[in-house]
Amino acid sequence: MLLLISLFCGVLLGFGLGLAEMTKPSVVLSFLDITGQWDVRLMFVMMGGIGVHALFYHLVVKRRDIPIYGQKFCMPGKVKLDFRLIFGSLIFGVGWGMSGVCPGVTYINLGMLDIRIVYFIGVMFLGNFTYRVLNHYVFSRK
Amino acid sequence: MEIVFSVGAMVNALIGGAMMGLSASILLLFNGRIMGVCGIAHGIFYFQKDNVIWRILFILGMFIGGYSLTQLSIDAFETDLNLIDTSAPSAVEEVTAVVATAVDKVESTGSAVVDAVAGTEQMTIAGIPVKSEVTPNPEYKISLMQFLIAAFLVGFGTSLGTGCTTGHGVCGLSRLSFRGMAATMMFMFAGGLTVYLIRNVL
């Protein structure tokens, strides 16, 4: 059941973001290009997403101790800001501004059956592995 | 500056956004998981027992969602991914392109005449002109190499910053998480600045 729900949520997310045309790099870039042709759609997508999820989170999820099928809610434990979060997000933002593609959208774009998306995903994982190697050998040393 | 706005596109964006919110809500309520795509994807290669298959299925679901959009012929994708086409155009394609530009010119002159006759006014919001569609500028296209450099930055940045647009942006802001808000502000700022520098300075 856990697995079926994962699959279903993936389909729902993929279909929704595709319908909103967030899968088109030029639409996302136009949102970021405030001084040019400013496409405000991404803001509406965020409003729709946050509206539904915020209501649901505060009215339903917060009142429960455990999820319906899992053992516990896996919530991010950290609450304080750190340099990793800030620098990581800034680096991500530069990549996002260059390509107009974020990780979520990449997997939906796979539906187009274009090999260049597979390259993108491969290099994204390379970035993740680089981080893990650095994290293991450099960042963790004090 | 111009604002791109059309009621149809905004309604689609709201519906699509709501579907994303619903997906995040269902995943959290039933499975107890935060819907952060990069967290889910990167977690695959941590090979924790009982913790891999649901991640793969979630990603597979996103692919199915995307693929079904192509099958329903919903205009959701940009076939060139905003990339420069490196393959040389054939003679036939060149001729078609020339004809297409000529037709476009005739049509745009025609519609300009119609607009002038009908006296349609330019719509504005707070004095800023509004149009219904983005006109992609071929100058803004990037090469495959730049695309892959961006991929590395995205992969590295989301790992170091522990999240991307779905995790920090949607789930984080919904939960009023301070880290989520800070991260969203950071990547929006960096993204906007990058686009500004590429398009106006470099």
Side-chain angles (χ1 to χ4, degrees), chain A residues 23 25-26 33 38 69 74 128, chain B residues 2 4 23 30 32 76 78 159 199:
Chain A
T23 35
S26 63
D33 189 10
W38 190 37
Y69 291 110
C74 303
N128 175 249
Chain B
E2 286 170 303
V4 183
S23 166
F30 285 85
E78 226 167 9
S159 305
R199 296 191 173 181

Side-chain angles (χ1 to χ4, degrees), chain B residues 24-48:
Chain B
S25 305
I26 294 173
L27 196 68
L28 190 60
L29 176 64
F30 285 85
N31 294 13
R33 289 286 175 174
I34 293 276
M35 189 204 62
V37 176
C38 30
I40 293 176
H42 293 153
I44 293 174
F45 290 97
Y46 281 86
F47 300 119
Q48 287 162 334

